[in-house]
Amino acid sequence: MLLGKQALYSNHGGSEVMRGQLDRLMAALALPRLSLGIIP
């Protein structure tokens, strides 16, 4: 999974939505065949 750095700072929908997205991302990182990359 690749993310642009700006995606970590874009706040669409407010802090509740962003918190939910980050929680989902953290849960996905527990998958054994998934790695996360951030493009600056």
Side-chain angles (χ1 to χ4, degrees):
M1 178 184 302
L2 290 174
L3 292 175
K5 184 178 176 182
Q6 186 59 33
L8 299 174
Y9 299 109
S10 297
N11 190 0
H12 299 286
S15 60
E16 288 280 329
V17 172
M18 191 158 186
R19 190 176 359 255
Q21 290 173 342
L22 290 174
D23 286 342
R24 176 101 170 171
L25 186 59
M26 293 299 292
L29 288 175
L31 297 171
R33 298 182 72 187
L34 180 77
S35 59
L36 174 67
I38 299 172
I39 300 171

